[in-house]
Each structure stands twice: as structure tokens, then as C-alpha cells.
Amino acid sequence: MAKIQTIDLNFSYRAKHQTIHAVKDVNLLLEPGLMQVIIGKSGSGKSTLLSLLASLQTPEQGMILVDDMDLQKMDADQYRRKRAAVIFQAYNLFPLLTVQENIIYPLLLNKIPKRTAETQAEKVLEQVGMDASFLKRFPATLSGGEQQRVAIARALANQTDIVLADEPTGNLDTKNTERITGLLSSMAHNQGCCVVVVTHDLSVAANADRVFAMDGGTLSGVAP
Amino acid sequence: MPVLLYLKAFLRKRVYLLLSLFFAILILLITYGLFCQMIQSKLAERENALRSLPVTVVLSNIAGTQTDHLEIPFYLAEYFTSGEYSYGGEIQPRAFSSYVKDVKMKTTLYYSLPSENMNRADTIPSSQKLVGITCLEADRAISQDVIDSLAFFSGMGESVFETGTPACVIPRRLLGHSAQDEQGRSFLTISVQIAPASQAATELVLQIAGVYDADDDRIYCPWRVAADQQAKLDGFYTVDSLMATVKDNMELSEFQTILFRHFAEVSPGGKAAKLDDSPVLDRYQFAAIVRDETLRQTLKEMDDSLQTALWIKPLLIVLELLVSACSGFFFGSVQRRDLLAARLVGTRMREIVWILFLQLFAVLLLSIIVTAYITTLCFNVEASHSYYVGVGAAASFGCLFSIRNLRKAAEALAARE
Ligand SMILES: Nc1ncnc2c1ncn2[C@@H]1O[C@H](COP(=O)(O)OP(=O)(O)OP(=O)(O)O)[C@@H](O)[C@H]1O
Ligand SMILES: [Mg+2]
């Protein structure tokens, strides 16, 4: 049951000749049990904000509180290992590992015995609508939608209470988009996760419990 | 545990990558090993040449123009033969003669057949040369005809000249003047003089060791015998010519300083090196020519080629370190995707570094062991440990460099999606 709060969050990319202020004074509250979507034009800073929430980047100014604890003071690796599952449009899975190994990898990181982890893998894969025949397959042999479902299954297996997804349905068809969106919102509603999805896709936004709009790095609106 | 899981998967799926890295490093190491072997064999060749190419020392007149008929006094000759060597009134720890071997000397006396034989000696004029030599080569005036026709009696050979045995080699014509003992050995009795017209003479009985058929009247006897006769007649002996071979070329320069204490230095071309400096030459009666041109020439050629090889060596090392670093970089970057995924699920950075290094270490270790095995067993050379460490370090550096920006890459990935 995690709650994330950002306070005057700022971040800039510093290149040699220019500085891009990608996130400006963002204050938002992300709540557990809700499917929250961030929308905005391309380049508005959505991905940057998400990577800050994932502790892949460190804020330049301001802070992120996870359950009232400063994220910057936490071990970033441990945060992703135990608290926050990160799902991107692609490249989420280890190309060298089978579906099963991909799912159990974070469990092993968290010192869960391999046997337990493997049974768990089978269970979560079923939850995302894939049968046991997928267990031994490699990511490269899966469709985009299947890959995303494996990534979600991995988050389910690891029982993280935060799910951060950046365009998880980016190049999927409507059917798969619906499916992934459904899975993500069920994680919020059934598992009580704090689900944050960055998207262009208004159909995803339509399923959201709350929508944040970004524009030029700032938060331009919240609904409802 | 997840590290092992990943490593297992890597070994399973990236066999070719691992193999190609393995062979790349193997080829690098072996190239280097072969190169080292080449240098080593060149060095051995040089050493061999240095040891085996003969360097001779020939005594000459002070101008370096003449090497025979020198009348070198015994005390100078004895530097080459005596086991003791004193210089500046002190006995030196190491004898002059210990630097040389195969000392070749010649001393010339005159002989006539005793008067009782005169009636039979009609064909032999009086006062012919009695030549004392340490070996046939000691007399460079000896004609090829003499050498070709020379026949030793049984039990005799050229080695007789090295001894002090009263023996001789005579022209066949003189056989008629010989006498035989009960064992059938032939002896010749001659009268020995210092100079053709000299009154002082001493009788000498020599066993005939062999005969020659050339048109010559000279009698050849062991140098020791001639020197003894000369000493008997004249009080001391002299030497017409002297040459010696340097025992160990490594000691050549050391020997030269000692040699030129007693003999003027003359270049092999016969030019006195210090002739202008006549006051210095005053104390020398004779000069010495060190014939080391062949050695110098050979060594120069070898050194030149060795020089290029030694110049290439660091180049090769730099190149190989570069290639190692590149393959390390390639190795690391191939796995970037995996490592990014690993970071996304919260693998610790140090575990990621571990993953990379375990693989690299395994590949490196394996190829280094195989190389060490191949090079030492097949090529008989050992590349130095520091070289292996260097290659390993370069590969690791490349690997580290490729994951240096992993965090950045993860961020970029995050921002790109
Ligand atoms: N690695 C980077 N270096 C420099 N500038 C960057 C980097 N990543 C993003 N930016 C810039 O930061 C700004 C915000 O980018 P960001 O990726 O967060 O936008 P976005 O809202 O996710 O866009 P999109 O919808 O196209 O994914 C953009 O102007 C972008 O050019
Ligand atoms: Mg984006």
C-alpha cells in the first residue's frame, strides 16, 4: 500500500551546449489502489518524470516521498527490487533468459527459494492469460503483447506495491492494449498497487481512475 | 544466485561470442608468443655467433705490414703460453694465456747434415731451414705441395707438432740419410745452427715422423724442439710468427685492454691505430692485429634486424592491448541490453559488474592457460606474466568502459520509451 508524493520536483538534462528543463516544479500525489495515467504531448517530460519515480534518475531539486520516506535516501536498487516494478514499451526482459527465468529473476534477487519462485511463475503467467507452455520460451519468440504480459507477470510475482509503466501499450493493437490496461488496472484494484502509466493512448486514459496532464515539463491538470 | 542464473544462460546462448572472444585473445597471445620466440631465437643466434665465430690475434711488426720473420723475443711469446702473467711487477690473478687458445707459433733454425754423411749429401746443400711449428698452419709459408704430399708414418700425425717430441717431417730425398733402430724407427741426425753461416752448432737426433715429396729441403719439427735448440745455442728463443684464437669472444674487449698493454694496436687492414702517436709506440716492439671483422659484420647485421624487431615489440603490445580493450568493450556492450534489464529489476551494480567479470575472467583465464600451454610446449617461449596481466587488464578496462554509463543508459532508455 504505497503512496508517492512529489514536492517541487525539477529535473534538467545537461548537454554540452544546452540544458533542457524536462520536469518543472511538479507536485503530485499518487495513491495506492488507483490506476493513474500521465498524458501529454511528446517531449512534455512524462518519461523523465517516470524515471524519477523509478529512481533511475535523481531529482535536481525537490523530492519524492514514498510512504513519506525520501526516495533519494533509499537504496535505488532495493527500491526497484522490492517496491517498484518498472515496465517499458520494450527491453523489459532479459533476452538470454526464458520466460520462466525472467519472472523468477527478481524473486531470486529477493532471496526467495528457486522452487517457490518457479511455482509462483506458473501462477502469475496464468493470471496474465498465458499457459505453462510459455515458460521455456525466449522473449524474442514472443509477440509484443506477450512480452508486456510477461513483464506484468514478473511484477505480479514479485508483489511490488508500485507499478511504473511507460507506454506499455506503445506498439500494441487494440485488443492487446485493452488486455494490458485491464491487467494494470486490476493490479491497482485487486492488489492495491499504486499503478502509474505514462501514455499517449486515450483509451488507456479512459480506464484510469485519475489522469494527470503534463505540458512543457509542468503538471497542467488533474482529473478527477 | 541470480548471477549464476544469468551466467548459465549466457554460456548457453552466447557460445559463439564466448568462443570468438576466447580465440581472439588466444590469437593475440600466441602472436605475441611467437614474436617473443622470434626475438629469443635471434638473440640465441647472436649469442651463438658471438661464441662460435673465431676471432684471431696475429702479431705483426709495429707498422702492421708484416706477420712473419718477426723474431719476437721469448718473453713476449710467453704471454700467450705461460700459465702465469705478471704486469707492473705484480702477478695478475688471471693469466694472459687464459684468454686464448690454439696458439700457433713458428721458429726457424738452420740445419746441415753432419760431415760424416757429407759424401752422400751431394744433392742437399748445407744450411737448410729447420722450421719449428706448433701445427702445419703455423707456417703460412708452407707450400700446398708439401701439405698435399705429406705422409706420416704409422703412429704419427700432425699432433706431433704440438708436443716436445724430437721428431720431424722431412723431404723424401733425405730418407737416405736416416738410420733405423731395432724397432724399425727411422732417425735423422742433423747439425743445428742459428744462422746459415754460424759457427756454433749442436747435434740433434730426430725421429722421422713423416715425409713429403715436394721440391723443398726444409725439415719441420715440433716448435718446442726448435725453441729448445735455439735457447741452447743462443740463450733464448724467438718466434717468427704468432697467432692465437680468442677463447671466449665475450671476453674480447677485456682481453684487448690486456693485449694492448704489450703490443701496439693495428687495425686488420694493417694501419697502426696509434702510429702518429709515436712516443706511445716507443715502448712497443710489435703490434697485434685483432681479426674480428667477420664477427663484427655478422653481429652488426644481426643487431640491425634485432633492432627492428625490438622496435616492433612495443608496437605489437600496444596494438594487442588495444584489441583486448576493444574486445572487452564489445563483450560488455553485447550484454548491455541484459544489464539494463538487470538494472530495471533492481540488480545491484556490483552484481552486474560481477556478472561481467566472472565471464571475462573465465574466458581470459582459459585462453591464458591454453596460450601458456601452447607457447611453452610448442614454441618453447614464455610470454611474461606482466603481459598476460596487461592483456587481462586491457580487456577488463574495455569491459568496464562499456558498462561505465550503464546507469546513464538506463536513464536514457527510460526517457526514450
Ligand atoms: N537523455 C536525454 N538527454 C537530453 N535531453 C533529453 C533526454 N531525454 C529526454 N530529453 C529531453 O527532455 C524532454 C522531455 O523528454 P521525455 O522523454 O521525458 O518526454 P516524453 O513526454 O516522454 O515524450 P514522448 O511522449 O515522446 O515519449 C524532451 O525535450 C527531450 O528532448
Ligand atoms: Mg516518453
Side-chain angles (χ1 to χ4, degrees), chain A residues 13 47-48 51 56-57 75-78 80-81 84 86 88-98 101 104-106 108-109 114 138 154 166-167, chain B residues 1-3 5-6 8-10 12-14 335 337-349 351 355 407 410-417:
Chain A
Y13 291 104
S47 295
T48 309
S51 71
L56 286 165
Q57 320 242 42
D75 175 343
D77 294 325
Q78 191 178 326
R80 282 196 300 276
R81 195 161 64 238
V86 185
F88 287 127
Q89 183 178 324
Y91 310 128
N92 295 301
L93 305 176
F94 289 93
L96 291 183
L97 301 186
T98 60
E101 287 166 338
I104 68 171
Y105 186 95
L108 297 181
L109 278 182
K114 199 167 174 214
F138 286 95
R154 181 169 67 186
D166 191 351
E167 310 270 15
Chain B
M1 185 76 158
V3 173
L5 180 80
Y6 179 77
K8 244 172 65 191
F10 193 85
R12 190 177 59 204
K13 294 285 276 186
R14 292 279 157 83
Q335 294 166 79
R337 184 69 58 74
D338 302 83
L339 301 178
L340 282 175
R343 273 192 69 69
L344 283 191
V345 292
T347 314
R348 287 185 193 89
M349 200 61 184
E351 271 176 319
I355 287 176
R407 193 184 291 265
E411 293 160 4
L413 183 70
R416 200 176 62 225
E417 299 306 310

Side-chain angles (χ1 to χ4, degrees), chain A residues 11-15 18-23 38-51 57 89 166-167 198-200 214 217, chain B residues 408 411-417:
Chain A
F11 184 85
S12 308
Y13 291 104
R14 285 175 207 286
Q18 57 174 349
T19 304
I20 296 164
H21 202 163
V23 172
I38 303 174
I39 55 165
K41 280 188 290 195
S42 181
S44 57
K46 308 182 294 290
S47 295
T48 309
L49 176 62
L50 198 86
S51 71
Q57 320 242 42
Q89 183 178 324
D166 191 351
E167 310 270 15
V198 163
T199 188
H200 275 119
M214 281 192 79
Chain B
K408 278 234 176 73
E411 293 160 4
L413 183 70
R416 200 176 62 225
E417 299 306 310

Side-chain angles (χ1 to χ4, degrees), chain A residues 17 37 89 157:
Chain A
H17 302 293
V37 166
Q89 183 178 324

Side-chain angles (χ1 to χ4, degrees), chain B residues 23-317:
Chain B
F23 282 113
I25 291 173
L26 200 66
I27 287 166
L28 283 180
L29 292 175
I30 289 177
T31 320
Y32 183 77
L34 283 176
F35 191 76
C36 284
Q37 188 199 28
M38 193 187 86
I39 289 182
Q40 262 179 30
S41 74
K42 267 183 196 290
L43 282 173
E45 237 173 72
R46 186 189 192 280
E47 170 111 13
N48 201 31
L50 194 58
R51 290 204 180 281
S52 62
L53 288 178
V55 172
T56 53
V57 175
V58 183
L59 295 191
S60 74
N61 65 343
I62 200 78
T65 51
Q66 183 193 329
T67 56
D68 203 352
H69 315 298
L70 293 174
E71 292 191 31
I72 302 159
F74 71 96
Y75 54 86
L76 288 179
E78 276 176 3
Y79 286 134
F80 291 87
T81 55
S82 162
E84 232 172 49
Y85 170 52
S86 57
Y87 179 71
E90 271 179 47
I91 294 197
Q92 301 296 303
R94 191 167 166 190
F96 186 110
S97 63
S98 67
Y99 291 99
V100 292
K101 60 181 182 186
D102 298 335
V103 181
K104 293 168 186 157
M105 291 184 288
K106 188 183 85 166
T107 289
T108 310
L109 294 170
Y110 292 85
Y111 76 89
S112 36
L113 296 167
S115 43
E116 60 262 36
N117 293 337
M118 260 323 194
N119 51 337
R120 286 191 282 156
D122 35 28
T123 55
I124 305 290
S126 63
S127 292
Q128 288 304 304
K129 281 181 177 171
L130 170 67
V131 184
I133 48 177
T134 52
C135 61
L136 287 172
E137 287 156 41
D139 183 6
R140 273 180 287 162
I142 205 163
S143 76
Q144 196 55 44
D145 288 351
V146 172
I147 293 168
D148 290 345
S149 65
L150 185 59
F152 282 102
F153 293 167
S154 72
M156 292 292 187
E158 202 194 324
S159 62
V160 76
F161 294 117
E162 293 163 23
T163 67
T165 322
C168 62
V169 167
I170 60 167
R172 192 178 292 276
R173 286 179 285 157
L174 283 186
L175 265 185
H177 300 273
S178 66
Q180 285 203 336
D181 69 0
E182 306 86 63
Q183 281 116 49
R185 296 180 298 185
S186 300
F187 289 89
L188 184 70
T189 308
I190 52 172
S191 167
V192 180
Q193 302 147 285
I194 293 292
S198 168
Q199 288 304 302
T202 175
E203 192 160 277
L204 181 63
V205 180
L206 298 171
Q207 187 190 344
I208 299 169
V211 292
Y212 66 87
D213 282 320
D215 184 22
D216 201 335
D217 296 318
R218 294 179 187 203
I219 293 178
Y220 296 95
C221 71
W223 175 81
R224 188 76 257 164
V225 173
D228 286 348
Q229 292 306 310
Q230 195 184 19
K232 202 159 131 193
L233 287 165
D234 215 15
F236 61 87
Y237 68 84
T238 59
V239 175
D240 291 355
S241 68
L242 187 150
M243 71 192 123
T245 308
V246 174
K247 204 182 265 175
D248 183 355
N249 292 341
M250 300 292 195
E251 299 175 341
L252 183 58
S253 63
E254 187 183 327
F255 175 53
Q256 275 174 316
T257 54
I258 294 171
L259 179 70
F260 296 129
R261 285 171 180 172
H262 309 286
F263 301 94
E265 191 176 345
V266 171
S267 73
K271 207 168 143 273
K274 294 177 187 159
L275 209 56
D276 303 333
D277 215 352
S278 27
V280 178
L281 287 178
D282 278 350
R283 64 195 179 93
Y284 298 121
Q285 292 166 266
F286 298 95
I289 305 169
V290 176
R291 297 203 181 280
D292 59 353
E293 311 94 306
T294 344
L295 181 71
R296 270 173 203 273
Q297 187 60 30
T298 318
L299 287 189
K300 194 182 171 299
E301 279 164 20
M302 285 181 165
D303 284 348
D304 285 351
S305 75
L306 200 64
Q307 214 53 49
T308 14
L310 288 177
W311 193 76
I312 292 171
K313 193 173 164 174
L315 223 70
L316 200 72
I317 291 180

Side-chain angles (χ1 to χ4, degrees), chain A residues 148-163:
Chain A
Q148 290 307 62
R149 280 192 274 159
V150 173
I152 292 171
R154 181 169 67 186
L156 279 171
N158 203 21
Q159 294 172 339
T160 53
D161 50 10
I162 299 165
V163 176

